Amino acid sequence: MFASTASTEINVIPFASTFRSLAVRAGDGGRDDERRGGNGTAVATKVKPKTKRPNLYRVLLLNDDYTPMEFVVHVLMNFFNKSEEAAQTIMLHVHRNGVGECGVFTYEVAETKVTQVMDFARKHQHPLQCIMEKQ
């Protein structure tokens, strides 16, 4: 009928006896390694995958005529860990220029910050707008 083929399972072993053990498993008893004059040692190398840096997103506050300045400072201090002085500076920048950057984060963190700020502003009945844009 059909001739059965026996498959030989070969495992890679990162030790000094790699070639010898592979030759023994292949069925030549290690004679091939001896014929080449090798000593049965090898260097095992690992290839490190290159990781790509994640895209960064700027979290921005938009100016409006109704949200109190103190509330904006409170948001910057609580959600973006800004000092009172840095929060005042950012708040004034938003007030004068219409938009100001709160921080730069990965997508997930930026999205979370925007959602937290928007929810907090709505909870306190302020029309403060917070957006994110790719850097």
Side-chain angles (χ1 to χ4, degrees):
M1 290 224 337
F2 295 104
S4 69
T5 57
S7 63
T8 304
E9 183 175 311
I10 298 176
N11 295 325
V12 178
I13 304 168
F15 295 105
S17 62
T18 301
F19 290 123
R20 182 174 305 280
S21 62
L22 289 176
V24 169
R25 288 185 186 174
D28 71 351
R31 291 183 301 273
D32 190 42
D33 189 38
E34 293 168 3
R35 275 185 248 132
R36 284 181 293 193
N39 60 2
T41 60
V43 177
T45 59
K46 285 188 177 181
V47 178
K48 287 187 178 180
K50 292 186 179 181
T51 56
K52 182 181 159 192
R53 290 188 175 245
N55 293 324
L56 297 177
Y57 292 81
R58 297 172 48 190
V59 176
L60 306 171
L61 282 180
L62 305 179
N63 189 36
D64 64 74
D65 294 332
Y66 303 103
T67 305
M69 293 180 175
E70 295 80 22
F71 184 79
V72 175
V73 169
H74 178 76
V75 165
L76 290 165
M77 290 173 64
N78 287 325
F79 293 103
F80 298 98
N81 298 321
K82 302 293 182 185
S83 67
E84 187 171 357
E85 185 179 322
Q88 288 281 348
T89 304
I90 294 170
M91 178 272 299
L92 288 174
H93 186 271
V94 171
H95 180 70
R96 292 182 183 134
N97 299 310
V99 64
E101 183 179 290
C102 304
V104 179
F105 308 96
T106 61
Y107 179 82
E108 292 82 9
V109 174
E111 186 178 43
T112 301
K113 298 266 187 200
V114 168
T115 303
Q116 288 174 336
V117 169
M118 295 293 288
D119 290 346
F120 188 71
R122 297 299 161 265
K123 180 180 173 187
H124 290 88
Q125 299 176 350
H126 294 297
L128 181 66
Q129 293 292 308
C130 186
I131 61 170
M132 61 187 245
E133 70 176 23
K134 195 170 186 178
Q135 191 176 27

